[in-house]
């Protein structure tokens, strides 16, 4: 019993490293990204509590750390990050709690409980996945409500507008404009005891809802970037003029179709403008993304729906850093399963991942998608990386329609 208790202990973030990083990040984010923080609603509340935050961009961990300063929080992060030797060393120093994504990771929950029991604060990103289109990516599994009930501490929400416009997942180039963060308490301990899990879940989802394009249409804040559109074809795969798929390419501020020549340019407000008189387009990534989603919804209505891609298969082997090559083959998506057929460690094999067990697929734009079976992670590196976003969108739609629909009214 003593050994189990010790295993659940989590160290506090290193105080020296924390304050040094804060000083430089705070200054950089303020001067370069125009970051402002509103904590006016956060009055007379001290840890222990749980912090839930929206996940719009790659900057979110530092945004939340700066927004809650001088509080040092223990973050919860996907176990995959710990497969990097550098991240593992850094995260251990900073008291980050590893968690297997989209599974009931009891060990991670116990570590969170140990932090709140000692009077600390735990920070988690319930949506799990970064935003694809300026709105919440993936969905927060219902387990967040169960976690809140179990921890039984107040809940603080952090929502940031402008994060997706500043550093979207599909590019390595940041934009410089504005970040606005709002911090507020959304649940007290008394409310947690009296509310149902469904009511708690609804409150969390509403508090974290963001829509960067809606926000930008109201604000029209200019963002500086030399290559604003570069990489956007990894979330926009369908040409609205000729309906060709995976033919969009980007260069600098331009997005064009290699099949029909349809072309747009991304302006300083992160909106598309026509490059030609006969250009067919949507002004924002959000509307273009919705257009793609409508097509996918129609496609999956067919019982014969199928997506196929040539791929490399990798896996994360226990006790090793990074991902190891297993083989090459073909991966197929239907309404029932994801199936890999090809070589596995030099032998022909077939791997089946039932859709009922796949809430969503983490992916890195232009790099890979991942499918989990319990704690085992299979990484697929498509031969044509432009195909991966359609898979991500289709899997979400299949889950919503045929297995586990998660809908919340954001109005």
């Amino acid at each position: 019993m003593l050994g189990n208790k010790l295993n659940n202990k989590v160290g506090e973030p290193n105080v020296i490293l924390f304050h040094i990083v804060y000083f430089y990040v705070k200054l950089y984010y303020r001067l370069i990204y125009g970051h402002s923080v509103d904590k006016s609603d956060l009055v007379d509340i001290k840890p222990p509590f749980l912090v839930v935050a929206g996940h719009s961009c790659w900057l979110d961990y530092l945004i939340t750390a700066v927004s809650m300063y001088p509080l040092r929080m223990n973050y919860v992060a996907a176990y995959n990050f710990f497969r990097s030797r550098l991240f593992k060393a850094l995260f251990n120093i900073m008291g980050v709690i590893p968690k297997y994504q989209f599974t009931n990771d009891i060990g991670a929950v116990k570590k969170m409980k140990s932090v709140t029991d000692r009077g600390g604060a735990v920070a988690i990103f319930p949506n799990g996945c970064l935003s694809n289109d300026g709105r919440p990516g993936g969905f927060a599994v219902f387990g967040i409500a169960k976690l809140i009930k179990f921890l039984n501490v107040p809940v603080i929400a952090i929502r940031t507008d402008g994060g997706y416009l500043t550093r979207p997942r599909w590019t390595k180039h940041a934009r410089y404009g504005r970040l606005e963060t709002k911090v507020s308490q959304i649940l007290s301990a008394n409310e947690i005891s009296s509310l149902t899990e469904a009511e708690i879940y609804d409150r969390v989802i509403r508090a974290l809802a963001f829509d960067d394009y809606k926000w930008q249409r109201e604000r029209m804040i200019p963002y500086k970037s030399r290559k604003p559109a570069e990489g956007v074809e990894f979330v926009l795969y369908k040409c609205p003029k000729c309906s060709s798929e995976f033919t969009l390419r980007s260069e600098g501020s331009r997005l064009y179709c290699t099949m029909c020549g349809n072309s747009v340019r991304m302006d300083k407000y992160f909106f598309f403008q026509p490059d030609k008189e006969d250009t067919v387009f949507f002004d924002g990534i959000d509307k273009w993304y919705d257009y793609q989603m409508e097509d996918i919804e129609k496609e999956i209505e067919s019982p014969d729906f199928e997506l196929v891609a040539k791929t490399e298969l990798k896996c994360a082997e226990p006790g090793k850093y990074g991902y190891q090559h297993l083989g090459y083959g073909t991966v197929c998506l239907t309404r029932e399963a994801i199936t890999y057929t090809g070589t596995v460690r030099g032998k022909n094999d077939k791997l089946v991942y039932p859709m009922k067990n796949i809430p969503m697929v983490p992916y890195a734009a232009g790099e890979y998608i991942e499918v989990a079976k319990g704690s085992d992670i299979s990484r697929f590196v498509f031969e044509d990386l432009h195909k991966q976003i359609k898979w991500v969108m289709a899997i979400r739609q299949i889950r919503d329609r045929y297995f586990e629909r998660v809908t919340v009214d954001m109005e």
Side-chain angles (χ1 to χ4, degrees):
M1 182 67 70
L2 179 59
N4 288 336
K5 288 183 177 179
L6 290 176
N7 289 336
N8 292 333
K9 295 183 91 174
V10 182
E12 294 185 48
N14 182 277
V15 62
I16 297 177
L17 181 60
F18 175 80
H19 288 295
I20 291 174
V21 170
Y22 166 79
F23 175 80
Y24 288 104
V25 170
K26 170 76 173 180
L27 183 62
Y28 185 83
Y29 275 39
R30 180 63 181 170
L31 295 178
I32 304 301
Y33 296 138
H35 186 212
S36 62
V37 181
D38 180 1
K39 292 197 289 186
S40 59
D41 291 344
L42 208 62
V43 180
D44 297 329
I45 179 170
K46 297 180 180 179
F49 50 68
L50 175 69
V51 175
V52 294
H55 209 6
S56 62
C57 68
W58 288 112
L59 307 175
D60 286 328
Y61 282 96
L62 293 177
I63 288 173
T64 52
V66 167
S67 299
M68 292 301 292
Y69 186 84
L71 178 69
R72 288 179 291 149
M73 302 179 289
N74 288 93
Y75 283 87
V76 178
Y79 182 76
N80 288 359
F81 286 110
F82 286 78
R83 297 193 184 279
S84 160
R85 193 184 301 271
L86 174 62
F87 276 123
K88 182 178 180 180
L90 178 62
F91 282 5
N92 284 336
I93 292 173
M94 298 309 293
V96 177
I97 301 170
K99 182 185 183 300
Y100 290 106
Q101 282 186 296
F102 319 125
T103 63
N104 294 320
D105 191 337
I106 303 302
V109 172
K110 289 181 177 179
K111 289 181 178 181
M112 293 182 228
K113 181 65 172 173
S114 74
V115 172
T116 57
D117 283 349
R118 72 163 186 243
V122 173
I124 191 169
F125 297 89
N127 285 96
C129 289
L130 287 167
S131 171
N132 294 324
D133 59 351
R135 295 167 293 200
F139 59 83
V141 295
F142 196 76
I144 186 64
K146 296 181 182 294
L147 174 65
I148 290 171
K149 279 280 191 182
F150 176 71
L151 296 179
N152 195 33
V153 292
V155 180
I156 306 299
I158 301 179
R159 193 196 76 188
T160 298
D161 294 312
Y164 180 83
L165 302 177
T166 299
R167 181 60 168 84
R169 71 183 307 165
W170 44 263
T171 182
K172 294 179 172 59
H173 304 290
R175 292 102 170 90
Y176 310 107
R178 188 172 302 171
L179 288 167
E180 295 180 352
T181 299
K182 175 72 174 178
V183 184
S184 57
Q185 181 178 349
I186 60 170
L187 287 164
S188 67
N190 288 336
E191 287 176 310
I192 291 170
S193 300
S194 62
L195 295 175
T196 66
E197 289 181 356
E199 290 170 327
I200 290 173
Y201 179 83
D202 183 70
R203 191 170 296 189
V204 170
I205 295 303
R206 289 174 184 274
L208 299 185
F210 63 91
D211 188 333
D212 268 16
Y213 269 99
K214 180 181 178 181
W215 177 79
Q216 178 66 332
R217 287 185 175 98
E218 296 170 351
R219 305 292 296 277
M220 295 303 289
I221 296 168
Y223 281 77
K224 296 180 181 179
S225 174
R226 289 183 297 174
K227 302 177 180 180
E230 203 155 288
V232 73
E233 69 268 29
F234 292 117
V235 292
L236 301 179
Y237 69 87
K238 190 178 184 73
C239 175
K241 185 174 184 179
C242 69
S243 298
S244 296
E245 296 185 351
F246 320 123
T247 57
L248 295 177
R249 297 294 184 270
S250 64
E251 183 179 6
S253 63
R254 184 170 173 246
L255 177 69
Y256 60 95
C257 176
T258 57
M259 184 63 69
C260 70
N262 197 50
S263 179
V264 294
R265 290 189 181 274
M266 186 173 282
D267 65 21
K268 64 181 179 180
Y269 301 105
F270 220 49
F271 290 107
F272 291 120
Q273 301 296 339
D275 221 10
K276 305 175 182 179
E277 287 186 3
D278 62 346
T279 293
V280 179
F281 74 109
F282 300 92
D283 71 343
I285 292 174
D286 57 341
K287 293 181 180 180
W288 205 315
Y289 197 86
D290 290 343
Y291 155 71
Q292 296 176 166
M293 190 65 80
E294 289 174 4
D295 268 16
I296 290 175
E297 288 175 347
K298 295 174 184 176
E299 287 186 51
I300 66 174
E301 288 176 358
S302 170
D304 299 325
F305 169 78
E306 181 180 80
L307 295 180
V308 179
K310 293 181 179 180
T311 187
E312 177 187 6
L313 172 65
K314 294 185 174 183
C315 80
E317 295 183 355
K320 295 183 179 180
Y321 291 104
Y323 284 74
Q324 290 69 48
H325 170 80
L326 289 187
Y328 293 99
T330 300
V331 63
C332 175
L333 169 65
T334 65
R335 291 187 346 195
E336 289 72 40
I338 295 174
T339 304
Y340 169 82
T341 305
T343 56
V344 180
R345 295 189 175 92
K347 297 180 180 181
N348 291 329
D349 204 348
K350 178 183 285 188
L351 305 177
V352 180
Y353 309 83
M355 283 300 300
K356 65 180 181 180
N357 299 328
I358 304 173
M360 67 181 80
V361 286
Y363 83 105
E367 296 183 38
Y368 59 80
I369 68 171
E370 293 179 343
V371 181
K373 183 179 284 187
S375 60
D376 295 328
I377 305 293
S378 296
R379 176 173 286 186
F380 297 101
V381 183
F382 289 179
E383 185 176 89
D384 184 353
L385 293 169
H386 297 92
K387 290 185 175 182
Q388 64 179 17
I389 185 61
K390 185 173 183 179
W391 280 62
V392 171
M393 296 173 72
I395 290 168
R396 172 64 192 275
Q397 286 302 101
I398 291 171
R399 285 289 306 181
D400 279 356
R401 182 173 297 189
Y402 300 107
F403 294 95
E404 182 184 0
R405 186 165 185 83
V406 178
T407 57
V408 177
D409 182 7
M410 297 300 184
E411 297 301 325

